[in-house]
Amino acid sequence: MNAGTEFAIDVRGLNKHFGPKHVVRDFSLQVRAGEIYGFLGPNGSGKTTSIRMICGLLTPDPGSGSGTCLGYDVLRETAAIKREVGYMTQRFSLWEDLTIRENLNFVARMYGMKHRREAVDGALERLGLQSRANQLSGALSGGWKQRLSLAACLLHQPRLLLLDEPTAGVDPKARRDFWEEIHALAADGLSVLVSTHYMDEAERCHRLAYIAYGKLLATGTAAEVVSSQKLHTYAITGPNLAPLSTALRALPGVGQVTPFGNTLHVTGQDDSLLRAALAACTSDAAYRVEPIESTLEDVFISLMAGATDNFVEQ
Amino acid sequence: MNGFSLSRWFGIIGKEFIQLKRDRLTFGMIIGVPVMQLLLFGFAINADPKNLPAAVLSADNSPYARTFIRAMENSGYFRGVVQVAREDEAEELIAHGAVQFVVNIPENFSRLLVRGEQPQILVEADATDPSATNNAIGALQVLAATALARDLAGTLGAAPPSPAPIDLRVHRRYNPEGISAYNIVPGLLGTILTMTMILMTGLAVTRERERGTFENLLATPALPIEVLTGKIVPYIMIGLIQVGLIFLASQFVFNVPMKGNPAVLFFVVLIFIAANLTLGITFSSIARNQLQAMQMTFFFFLPSILLSGFMFPYRGMPEWAQWLASILPLTHFLVLVRGIMLKGNELPELWPQIWPILAFMLVVILLGLRFYKRTLD
């Protein structure tokens, strides 16, 4: 079995320091070809830095780990990687003072594409932007900017897409369309690594990785990640939930207490301790307590709480 | 009710100071620019240049001639008056700009003087910058009337030398009519190029970084050298258009002579553009945003314009200011352009002003490379 062809991304033990800050610590990631891989973690956890190392924008610290991206060495063959990877930055990074067509045309030139005109026309047609092709891209709304960015990084027909929080600030309808497109692309064999903060998006990925403060904390399918954390969650309904949640937080065995409208979700790792705490606080018959499935969000918040912030932000 | 709130007002003042403190470069400029202006205007700039270098080509080694030379030195306008023996030597000195004046004392000077026949003294002045020489010429005219009064009193007795004892002829070389435009218009070539080249390249690169589009560019297979040179070429073309416009205006509007070789002028302009571009790129890799790039340009542009000899005579400045000015490419470029256009200088005569620009460029490139690496990683 050839690892280079089976994995779109296969990196092990990558590190990155910015000055004294250890931003990414022993980062390892395997993304299979044709897979949509979700990349999650709190703000400032090193997601963007990791993505930049994978696509050759940043050089990992020397002598620490190695890896391949599309079979190319991430340390030495960055030029080849750049040619076959589409990278969509977190912020809109096309030229706002160029028109939509000029932007696409420029990107096509940067990749040295042969049939530039056809490719740009095709991309405009897929976007449904032919009629607005001569509009300045700076005048587009957030959702359209995002679609244009995606079209720009698909133009050179990459084998791997790296999307850094692609749907931040985009409305739900546009997000749903976006994900439909991502799934269609993956069905055609494109591999996708996407970072996000949205749980519904995380659940749409084939597999997930959770990174916090430069360390990879959990990987697997959504279900695997949830079950691996062995969390127990109960839903409470009843009167005066606010004082109840304060009381519960003080008790041992209670991890998180999260209000969801008229219910309270209580999560903990030790089921017997958690049950004892619940019994102590909800003896009143007005309360109804029932066990429910832990969600991805419960798991991530629990992971985030457990991760030590090993460097001070700014 | 929403009246003027003093505490709100102080809040805004406080926030402004905090932000000012964070932006070190702007803060540095606020302090640095007035200090620089104070030093330059207060100490360096002098509209009445003294201590100008002069040469004497004397065919008459009489005490009278020596008295006259000493009187020149004592006037304060002339410094280190050198004696030269041959005419071509004197010609070379003034063409290079090594001296600003050549004083020719004729063979039979003392004989004619004693006879009261008004011997001629020919003063050749480098008038490429009329404002630098006018006062010194005025002083010479006074000297011609008075310098020898005491020496002559003995020989001629009480007879008053009714006309001046010496017939002083001033020959304003390269710019006989003393037209300021001859000096200013070629100088504008340099100042405008300095401004455009440094500012535009500085802004072009920082704009990409400020808007986040630089990252996109770096994610494509484009090589840094392609990005950098590709971004610069349009500004080189704009610079050349500016050069062309100013040159045409100098010829047809201001009638500035063009004695030299246009190809040499073009070559020198290219070197000057290259030096300014490297500085612009270096600024852009140090500056974090467009405002900072603009401030850095201004900080460089101010001494360039004031010390280079564009606005005020170079030789009028104290030595430390001349030394400082000789670092700036514009100082040398002005000498080059005036040398080519007004004196018809060729490359061998220009070389002493060309290599300092090349040296400046080399140092800036080395500095820039250190910073450029850092911005990529």
Side-chain angles (χ1 to χ4, degrees):
Chain A
M1 192 163 61
N2 186 343
T5 49
E6 201 210 347
F7 289 117
I9 300 172
D10 182 9
V11 294
R12 288 165 207 274
L14 295 184
N15 281 278
K16 185 72 192 174
H17 281 85
F18 286 130
K21 276 192 194 174
H22 200 164
V23 182
V24 173
R25 186 183 296 270
D26 295 329
F27 175 69
S28 301
L29 187 72
Q30 281 76 43
V31 177
R32 295 194 193 105
E35 187 172 59
I36 301 176
Y37 200 99
F39 198 30
L40 295 101
N43 292 327
S45 59
K47 293 192 300 287
T48 301
T49 307
S50 302
I51 291 178
R52 286 180 180 171
M53 282 198 286
I54 293 169
C55 70
L57 271 185
L58 285 177
T59 337
D61 289 345
S64 71
S66 61
T68 58
C69 176
L70 298 169
Y72 301 112
D73 190 303
V74 290
L75 292 166
R76 287 189 302 271
E77 296 173 289
T78 54
I81 292 173
K82 283 178 182 178
R83 268 195 297 277
E84 299 201 42
V85 170
Y87 171 43
M88 184 168 156
T89 52
Q90 200 167 342
R91 224 173 108 188
F92 181 70
S93 65
L94 291 171
W95 289 265
E96 302 210 335
D97 42 4
L98 294 189
T99 65
I100 294 166
R101 180 185 287 283
E102 284 164 348
N103 264 310
L104 291 174
N105 203 29
F106 175 72
V107 172
R109 286 187 93 136
M110 286 300 102
Y111 285 96
M113 293 178 59
K114 287 200 186 74
H115 305 288
R116 216 162 57 226
R117 210 167 207 315
E118 291 82 346
V120 170
D121 283 338
L124 284 171
E125 201 181 310
R126 268 199 307 282
L127 278 170
L129 276 176
Q130 295 117 303
S131 56
R132 296 161 78 181
N134 295 322
Q135 209 172 344
L136 293 184
S137 70
L140 292 171
S141 70
W144 280 109
K145 277 184 181 167
Q146 176 235 34
R147 298 202 61 187
L148 175 61
S149 299
L150 181 65
C153 61
L154 287 173
L155 211 54
H156 63 291
Q157 298 177 313
R159 284 159 59 205
L160 170 68
L161 259 189
L162 300 173
L163 309 172
D164 195 0
E165 292 184 29
T167 55
V170 170
D171 70 50
K173 168 78 169 66
R175 267 172 60 195
R176 177 163 296 188
D177 293 346
F178 183 82
W179 274 91
E180 244 160 58
E181 173 136 27
I182 297 294
H183 271 277
L185 290 164
D188 289 343
L190 192 74
S191 317
V192 182
L193 177 68
V194 52
S195 77
T196 181
H197 285 302
Y198 298 111
M199 290 308 133
D200 59 320
E201 292 190 348
E203 279 162 357
R204 282 178 174 162
C205 298
H206 297 128
R207 287 203 305 146
L208 300 172
Y210 188 87
I211 185 176
Y213 309 114
K215 280 172 83 173
L216 205 56
L217 294 181
T219 53
T221 64
E224 279 167 10
V225 169
V226 171
S227 63
S228 72
Q229 294 305 305
K230 299 190 175 59
L231 280 187
H232 303 275
T233 305
Y234 293 87
I236 306 170
T237 48
N240 299 325
L241 289 176
L244 178 66
S245 75
T246 316
L248 275 169
R249 278 198 184 102
L251 293 174
V254 178
Q256 283 101 46
V257 183
T258 322
F260 278 93
N262 296 322
T263 57
L264 208 58
H265 287 193
V266 186
T267 312
Q269 272 175 321
D270 187 326
D271 197 32
S272 53
L273 268 176
L274 188 60
R275 277 170 180 280
L278 286 169
C281 285
T282 57
S283 49
D284 195 324
Y287 290 113
R288 265 188 59 198
V289 179
E290 49 187 343
I292 55 167
E293 292 269 317
S294 297
T295 63
L296 211 47
E297 183 159 327
D298 297 328
V299 170
F300 288 148
I301 291 169
S302 150
L303 280 170
M304 216 187 284
T308 45
D309 190 346
N310 58 5
F311 63 98
V312 182
E313 282 265 279
Q314 253 121 67
Chain B
M1 50 157 280
N2 193 3
F4 189 93
S5 153
L6 209 58
S7 98
R8 213 156 46 206
W9 190 62
F10 277 121
I12 291 168
I13 292 175
K15 169 192 142 291
E16 214 54 39
F17 269 118
I18 292 170
Q19 289 180 312
L20 204 57
K21 200 179 74 192
R22 295 280 144 76
D23 189 353
R24 291 274 168 78
L25 195 74
T26 302
F27 197 69
M29 290 287 163
I30 292 170
I31 307 295
V33 168
V35 168
M36 192 165 80
Q37 281 175 324
L38 210 61
L39 287 176
L40 297 188
F41 282 117
F43 296 113
I45 290 163
N46 177 10
D48 180 20
K50 299 207 167 146
N51 289 318
L52 301 171
V56 172
L57 181 61
S58 179
D60 179 287
N61 197 18
S62 66
Y64 299 118
R66 286 202 297 274
T67 304
F68 186 76
I69 292 165
R70 216 165 306 120
M72 274 174 67
E73 286 175 324
N74 287 343
S75 73
Y77 279 98
F78 306 93
R79 160 177 62 95
V81 178
V82 286
Q83 299 268 359
V84 290
R86 294 201 320 274
E87 208 163 312
D88 56 340
E89 216 177 315
E91 178 61 32
E92 202 183 298
L93 284 175
I94 200 163
H96 280 180
V99 299
Q100 202 127 10
F101 297 94
V102 174
V103 179
N104 294 281
I105 298 178
E107 213 173 347
N108 47 7
F109 176 71
S110 54
R111 196 155 48 90
L112 292 174
L113 188 71
V114 174
R115 285 194 200 160
E117 286 180 19
Q118 276 200 306
Q120 274 187 6
I121 286 186
L122 174 68
V123 175
E124 294 175 85
D126 178 349
T128 47
D129 184 357
S131 66
T133 44
N134 280 348
N135 286 356
I137 290 171
L140 266 180
Q141 248 129 17
V142 175
L143 285 182
T146 60
L148 297 170
R150 208 158 37 133
D151 291 26
L152 294 174
T155 45
L156 297 179
S162 47
I166 301 169
D167 178 13
L168 189 83
R169 297 283 171 94
V170 177
H171 183 186
R172 289 184 170 84
R173 297 281 303 272
Y174 313 119
N175 184 2
E177 290 155 87
I179 299 169
S180 294
Y182 284 17
N183 181 49
I184 297 293
V185 176
L188 270 178
L189 208 62
T191 20
I192 289 174
L193 275 181
T194 303
M195 193 67 193
T196 325
M197 291 299 108
I198 298 177
L199 187 62
M200 295 315 284
T201 47
L203 292 187
V205 180
T206 43
R207 193 188 307 127
E208 297 264 4
R209 200 171 309 126
E210 203 175 312
R211 296 187 186 170
T213 52
F214 207 51
E215 196 185 357
N216 206 330
L217 213 48
L218 291 176
T220 70
L223 301 174
I225 183 84
E226 292 168 353
V227 175
L228 212 58
T229 52
K231 287 188 72 72
I232 286 169
V233 165
Y235 300 106
I236 296 181
M237 284 157 76
I238 290 173
L240 289 177
I241 290 172
Q242 290 178 332
V243 170
L245 283 176
I246 299 169
F247 184 74
L248 288 178
S250 78
Q251 297 300 294
F252 299 110
V253 182
F254 298 101
N255 297 316
V256 178
M258 178 63 194
K259 295 240 177 77
N261 185 346
V264 173
L265 181 64
F266 186 69
F267 172 71
V268 165
V269 163
L270 284 185
I271 291 178
F272 184 64
I273 286 179
N276 282 309
L277 284 179
T278 50
L279 188 67
I281 295 163
T282 302
F283 280 174
S284 74
S285 43
I286 300 171
R288 271 173 293 142
N289 51 46
Q290 296 189 70
L291 179 69
Q292 291 192 344
M294 211 134 101
Q295 288 172 328
M296 286 172 160
T297 308
F298 184 67
F299 202 73
F300 180 79
F301 189 62
L302 194 65
S304 281
I305 219 173
L306 293 178
L307 297 185
S308 63
F310 173 70
M311 282 181 96
F312 304 98
Y314 175 79
R315 300 231 204 253
M317 302 188 300
E319 208 141 308
W320 63 266
Q322 291 193 15
W323 183 84
L324 200 68
S326 66
I327 299 172
L328 305 170
L330 186 59
T331 309
H332 301 284
F333 183 72
L334 292 182
V335 178
L336 290 172
V337 176
R338 289 168 188 166
I340 296 167
M341 291 183 73
L342 304 179
K343 299 180 178 178
N345 285 354
E346 290 290 334
L347 278 179
E349 292 149 311
L350 299 172
W351 177 246
Q353 309 292 338
I354 291 178
W355 72 259
I357 299 181
L358 294 175
F360 175 87
M361 199 158 88
L362 188 74
V363 172
V364 171
I365 286 176
L366 291 178
L367 276 175
L369 278 179
R370 277 190 50 193
F371 284 105
Y372 189 67
K373 256 193 171 159
R374 211 175 56 186
T375 53
L376 278 179
D377 220 280

